[in-house]
Amino acid sequence: MTNGSIALLCGIAMAAGSGLIAVEAAGQIRRQPPAAVQIPIHVSLKIAGEAFESSAAGKCTHAPKASIYNVLSELRSVELSADGRSTNLTWWHPLDGSADMVNLSISSASGSHSVSTVKGGQVMGSGTVTFEKVGSGGIFTVDVKTAKNVAISGTIKCDSFAPHLAEGG
């Protein structure tokens, strides 16, 4: 291996380690996404009357304009997994003024619960999730029922939101 080859490989390794390598395929350049920002999240829910509490760092993201089933919407999402429990929330606020839509999935040692009110997809359960902006973060207020009529209510609070990266780049 020549000194020039070694220098080139060192340069590539340094760029890869910093996430600066771009892959060019079919005329498109895709950059590696930055590492996920860990944000403090506080979950305080009642599921069928039982407390479900969790506070840990997770992922809260926001996109002012996103689309689901051709409905232009504001998007906010929460992903938290800690202590054998997980909470995943995707909240869609249609820009045309129609009703908010939500995907909510919660799991713990005692079971899993899901609700989806996204029109165009498979609707499972019913209810509402509202959002109130607080500083750089916000609070989701949950009042839903699963398809099996399990009531889930309470709040999910994100201290801040990172930009949402679209699926598929």
Side-chain angles (χ1 to χ4, degrees):
M1 193 175 279
T2 68
N3 284 344
S5 297
I6 293 171
L8 177 62
L9 289 174
C10 288
I12 291 171
M14 287 176 60
S18 66
L20 295 177
I21 286 215
V23 177
E24 187 171 341
Q28 294 182 354
I29 295 178
R30 297 204 182 240
R31 300 193 188 284
Q32 291 183 349
V37 176
Q38 294 292 294
I39 295 168
I41 301 171
H42 312 282
V43 177
S44 180
L45 299 172
K46 290 221 182 259
I47 301 173
E50 293 186 28
F52 181 92
E53 305 278 337
S54 189
S55 289
K59 185 175 167 186
C60 294
T61 64
H62 174 244
K65 288 187 181 175
S67 180
I68 186 157
Y69 296 107
N70 295 316
V71 177
L72 191 59
S73 303
E74 174 185 4
L75 165 67
R76 292 193 186 261
S77 71
V78 179
E79 294 178 27
L80 177 61
S81 183
D83 302 324
R85 299 170 168 222
S86 69
T87 303
N88 291 288
L89 170 70
T90 306
W91 178 80
W92 301 90
H93 180 69
L95 300 180
D96 66 6
S98 57
D100 293 342
M101 299 179 285
V102 66
N103 287 321
L104 175 65
S105 176
I106 299 168
S107 65
S108 67
S110 63
S112 298
H113 306 282
S114 295
V115 174
S116 178
T117 64
V118 177
K119 290 166 183 57
Q122 182 180 359
V123 174
M124 300 180 304
S126 61
T128 60
V129 173
T130 58
F131 177 75
E132 177 186 357
K133 189 161 175 38
V134 178
S136 62
I139 300 172
F140 297 93
T141 302
V142 177
D143 187 13
V144 297
K145 286 190 178 179
T146 69
K148 295 180 180 179
N149 211 30
V150 175
I152 303 171
S153 62
T155 59
I156 300 171
K157 180 181 181 238
C158 290
D159 284 4
S160 62
F161 288 88
H164 187 82
L165 298 176
E167 295 278 327

